[in-house]
Amino acid sequence: MIRYFAKRLGMMLVALFMIILLTFVIMHAVPGGPFTSDRNVSEEVEEALNEKYHLNDPLPKQFFDYLGGLLHGDFGPSYKYTGKTVNDFIANGFPVSAKLGGITIIFVILASIPMGILAAVKNGKWQDMAVMAAATIGVTIPSFVIASLLIYVFSFRMGVLPSFGLDSWKGYILPVITLGGYSVSYLARQMRSSLLEVMGQDYIRTARAKGLSEPKVIVKHALRNAMIPVITVLGPTVANLLTGSFVVEKIFAVPGLGVHFVNSVSQRDYTTIMGVTIFYATFLLAMVFIVDVFYCLIDPRIKYD
């Protein structure tokens, strides 16, 4: 097992290096630079800024200098905000995104798994059709449409929930529903299909033949194996929710990591774009690695030899 995880760790490092390289190349392949959009900056000042931030150096030197900074945990300075670094943006924005994402994860798990189980147990009945109809709507409608609808109904028409900010517990309700809507719908469908497949296995029929009650068959025998595909999807979902949704944070004016990324793209702030992308990629790779570890804990039949 140790050998397998060491191999996976090596693959993660290679994947992370390729992400850093591709992000760096794409950023510098875009015409212009971080200071070309500033209309009030003269050519002399722009040249001085490029010299200050070593943007006139050859690209290989810039890349290895940036890589050296990453090895020391330094994502570099912001080109658009004087005195600010990308580390500052991540340190200030990630806790906000992580708190919102953590609440959303709890909402997603508590909603999606029971919905999937109910749909599988009541397969073909009205409960199944109702859950699948709601899940289909949640998967197909974009998050910004859901956000706009929720704001219109609960903020403008009813006036019971705030439309922006996280100043009180009420401020979390609309962003959590919007952020978790797709994940709840997708995981509910995944849970239903996985549980239906497991319920058709021979060992489930054997458990029923022994006289075990249906709830005991589902909880003790079927649910554990049915959770494996769900956990596979849940790993990247957790990483995505914890790092924040760019669209949702922008709509609800949440000062999280997503807002800094959106602003950096519009302002061509190279280091912020790269820093947030690399931070997100590292988080995603770590979650996929943790999912592999959980496989062994959930299903003892899975061995990494």
Side-chain angles (χ1 to χ4, degrees):
M1 183 181 295
I2 296 177
R3 190 175 183 180
Y4 171 81
F5 287 134
K7 182 179 178 181
R8 284 301 308 268
L9 183 60
M11 293 171 61
M12 285 173 54
L13 293 176
V14 173
L16 186 59
F17 175 79
M18 295 303 299
I19 291 171
I20 296 171
L21 179 60
L22 287 174
T23 307
F24 182 87
V25 171
I26 291 173
M27 286 297 97
H28 288 79
V30 177
F35 307 113
T36 55
S37 60
D38 296 337
R39 298 178 180 178
N40 297 328
V41 175
S42 62
E43 293 184 4
E44 292 78 8
V45 174
E46 182 180 341
E47 184 65 24
L49 289 171
N50 288 333
E51 190 68 29
K52 175 184 177 180
Y53 292 109
H54 305 286
L55 296 178
N56 291 330
D57 294 343
L59 287 182
K61 185 178 186 304
Q62 291 186 47
F63 175 74
F64 285 108
D65 288 345
Y66 182 76
L67 199 61
L70 289 179
L71 294 176
H72 293 86
D74 182 12
F75 288 96
S78 171
Y79 292 152
K80 290 296 182 179
Y81 297 93
T82 306
K84 292 288 186 178
T85 66
V86 181
N87 294 61
D88 295 332
F89 293 147
I90 294 176
N92 295 329
F94 179 66
V96 178
S97 296
K99 184 178 180 180
L100 177 62
I103 297 174
T104 306
I105 290 169
I106 296 174
F107 164 67
V108 168
I109 294 175
L110 293 180
S112 63
I113 294 178
M115 285 173 61
I117 295 174
L118 176 64
V121 172
K122 301 295 183 179
N123 183 31
K125 299 181 180 180
W126 69 267
Q127 295 95 330
D128 179 26
M129 291 185 286
V131 170
M132 287 299 98
T136 301
I137 294 174
V139 170
T140 54
I141 299 180
S143 59
F144 64 87
V145 176
I146 296 177
S148 302
L149 181 62
L150 291 175
I151 291 173
Y152 176 75
V153 174
F154 294 100
S155 297
F156 294 160
R157 299 292 296 180
M158 300 177 64
V160 294
L161 295 174
S163 60
F164 63 91
L166 302 175
D167 298 328
S168 65
W169 64 269
K170 290 183 178 181
Y172 285 89
I173 296 178
L174 297 186
V176 165
I177 295 175
T178 305
L179 187 59
Y182 176 85
S183 299
V184 168
S185 303
Y186 185 79
L187 287 174
R189 294 169 63 91
Q190 187 73 33
M191 185 74 239
R192 174 186 179 273
S193 60
S194 178
L195 187 57
L196 284 176
E197 182 179 353
V198 171
M199 293 291 284
Q201 299 296 322
D202 292 337
Y203 69 89
I204 297 296
R205 287 191 286 269
T206 302
R208 286 171 173 162
K210 290 181 178 180
L212 294 178
S213 62
E214 193 66 15
K216 201 168 187 178
V217 170
I218 294 173
V219 174
K220 189 175 180 180
H221 296 281
L223 192 58
R224 189 171 184 176
N225 293 327
M227 285 295 296
I228 294 177
V230 177
I231 289 179
T232 303
V233 179
L234 193 60
T237 300
V238 169
N240 183 42
L241 295 177
L242 286 179
T243 50
S245 171
F246 306 150
V247 175
V248 173
E249 289 187 0
K250 192 70 174 177
I251 292 175
F252 291 100
V254 176
L257 200 58
V259 174
H260 294 302
F261 184 83
V262 173
N263 293 336
S264 66
V265 171
S266 61
Q267 297 172 349
R268 293 186 181 181
D269 195 349
Y270 288 171
T271 49
T272 304
I273 297 173
M274 292 185 60
V276 175
T277 302
I278 294 167
F279 180 80
Y280 173 77
T282 304
F283 207 88
L284 179 60
L285 291 172
M287 291 307 304
V288 173
F289 181 79
I290 292 174
V291 166
D292 288 342
V293 175
F294 269 97
Y295 282 157
C296 294
L297 301 177
I298 292 178
D299 192 347
R301 297 174 301 174
I302 299 177
K303 301 295 182 182
Y304 295 117
D305 295 329

